[in-house]
Amino acid sequence: MAFNENGRIWFNGKFVDWKDANIHVLSHVVHYGSSVFEGIRCYNTKNGPAIFRLKEHVERLFDSGKIYRMEIPYTVDEICDAIKETVKINNLKDCYIRPVVFRGYNELGVYPLNCPLEVVIAAWEWGKYLGEDAIENGVDVGVSTWRRMAPNTLPNMAKAGANYMNSQLAKMESLLNGFNEAIMMDYGGSVSEGSGENIFLVKDDVLYTPHSSLSILSGITRDSVTKLAKNEGIEVKEEAIPREMLYLADEIFMTGTAAEITPVRSVDKITVGNGKRGPVTEKLQKKFFNIVEGEEEDNFAWLTFID
Ligand code: PPE
């Protein structure tokens, strides 16, 4: 992943040069993690660049803001337009888009409401999140000793910067232990999600994923995969998944905007299935990539074209 530092960033309604998109070190967000953000992908389909599920992402940004009493001074449509403009002005085709809303500079102290809200949209090229061959060959994951946030601690439904301190702990631990990614349990000990992905497993042709009450971010890729699977006649169950199901599953994959659909080939050094991408995973990947690459009809109306 490399930034193109010649790019332009949308900063509170205006485009500024990449190097000028700065904030003060005493901004509230730097000290207390007071931000909410999104990660969105734009794909270079054969009919031109198109953003995947733009409106749903922007609506989730506003939902995250609402939880933290952040009144974003733009409409959903204005942010959608600004995102399209950001891709366009930077001449990007395949890219990752990062809108972020945060509490800026005025005073310090935990109480945030006297600090101004700042809204920023940046975009850059970001290849495969978990490695170039991960989509085909899968990744090795470890169950983290860190759990996902318990209810009444930090709201998992908000995609808040502060949540990613938890993700960082799990990610560092997993990489230092020789894995590619972590899977965290929820406070009750059942499977929750990865540091930046939701998780699915296949057992006897049924697709399982942790229910939204199990400390997950309600992923938009998760929702897309669920819809694709149902459309293919695959049964999908959202429920509590015990840890040991990870060892017994026929197939496991992780989903996220950055990670897309990435197979898991081992958990805690126990091989998943036969250690290769399974048929259900492959089928769903194919459907997903066909849609985002424009090879197949966009029947779900998931794509917003830039031009
Ligand atoms: N759970 C977490 C904790 C998470 O961060 C993501 C996305 C998901 C689930 C999947 O959500 P969705 O993208 O709507 O399908 N993680 C974002 C940030 C990754 C990063 O390293 O930064 C992403 O994939 O954009």
Side-chain angles (χ1 to χ4, degrees):
M1 190 264 278
F3 290 132
N4 173 5
E5 295 181 357
N6 299 319
R8 291 169 73 72
I9 291 175
W10 191 94
F11 204 133
N12 294 327
K14 288 197 291 275
F15 282 103
V16 300
D17 285 342
W18 196 276
K19 62 176 190 332
D20 297 327
N22 303 316
I23 59 167
H24 197 277
V25 291
L26 295 180
S27 297
H28 198 269
V29 61
V30 177
H31 300 258
Y32 309 117
S34 23
S35 70
V36 295
F37 69 98
E38 272 304 314
I40 311 173
R41 270 195 195 267
C42 178
Y43 289 93
N44 190 17
T45 79
K46 63 179 194 190
N47 306 311
I51 301 174
F52 186 66
R53 305 198 70 176
L54 174 60
K55 190 133 195 246
E56 291 90 329
H57 277 286
V58 174
E59 281 172 349
R60 188 172 66 184
L61 180 70
F62 278 72
D63 287 350
S64 298
K66 188 168 187 188
I67 293 169
Y68 282 101
R69 302 172 199 274
M70 292 174 165
E71 279 178 36
I72 301 174
Y74 301 95
T75 63
V76 168
D77 285 343
E78 283 168 342
I79 297 296
C80 287
D81 287 344
I83 287 172
K84 285 199 273 182
E85 275 304 302
T86 305
V87 174
K88 210 168 169 172
I89 208 168
N90 286 294
N91 286 316
L92 290 163
K93 293 181 167 56
D94 266 314
C95 66
Y96 183 85
I97 305 154
R98 170 58 56 86
V100 54
V101 177
F102 56 90
R103 299 268 179 207
Y105 173 80
N106 182 40
E107 63 180 26
L108 285 179
V110 171
Y111 185 74
L113 298 186
N114 295 327
C115 291
L117 268 193
E118 316 251 15
V119 184
V120 171
I121 303 163
W124 62 89
E125 286 174 7
W126 195 350
K128 297 300 172 204
Y129 188 59
L130 295 170
E132 273 311 315
D133 70 339
I135 295 282
E136 214 176 301
N137 297 326
V139 289
D140 301 305
V141 308
V143 171
S144 180
T145 58
W146 295 101
R147 290 189 180 187
R148 212 61 192 142
M149 289 77 74
N152 292 354
T153 61
L154 286 169
N156 287 284
M157 274 181 80
K159 192 170 172 65
N163 292 3
Y164 288 82
M165 291 301 273
N166 169 262
S167 289
Q168 288 179 52
L169 289 168
K171 186 85 185 186
M172 288 189 288
E173 180 189 53
S174 68
L175 262 58
L176 292 171
N177 284 333
F179 299 113
N180 306 110
E181 185 52 281
I183 296 176
M184 279 175 277
M185 302 294 118
D186 82 326
Y187 74 107
S190 77
V191 177
S192 181
E193 62 178 346
S195 72
E197 309 89 354
N198 292 115
I199 187 160
F200 283 85
L201 48 88
V202 180
K203 181 75 180 165
D204 298 330
D205 300 320
V206 177
L207 194 55
Y208 295 87
T209 194
H211 188 264
S212 60
S213 64
L214 296 162
S215 297
I216 64 165
L217 178 73
S218 287
I220 289 165
T221 322
R222 172 182 179 273
D223 176 71
S224 309
V225 163
T226 302
K227 291 195 164 101
L228 289 174
K230 287 182 177 161
N231 208 40
E232 291 298 301
I234 299 168
E235 189 184 352
V236 184
K237 290 189 177 172
E238 287 183 40
E239 56 183 50
I241 299 171
R243 171 176 177 165
E244 57 273 25
M245 271 282 275
L246 297 170
Y247 307 135
L248 304 177
D250 301 326
E251 299 178 34
I252 301 180
F253 59 85
M254 302 182 100
T255 65
T257 299
E260 298 168 306
I261 302 176
T262 300
V264 172
R265 65 179 171 204
S266 73
V267 180
D268 295 339
K269 305 202 170 140
I270 299 177
T271 304
V272 176
N274 62 8
K276 299 218 153 47
R277 171 172 65 184
V280 177
T281 308
E282 192 171 351
K283 188 181 207 173
L284 294 169
Q285 276 184 330
K286 201 163 170 198
K287 283 274 155 202
F288 177 82
F289 285 115
N290 276 348
I291 291 175
V292 298
E293 282 157 14
E295 295 293 337
E296 211 172 286
E297 198 58 40
D298 176 23
N299 289 327
F300 296 98
W302 284 341
L303 302 179
T304 301
F305 285 88
I306 297 297
D307 297 309

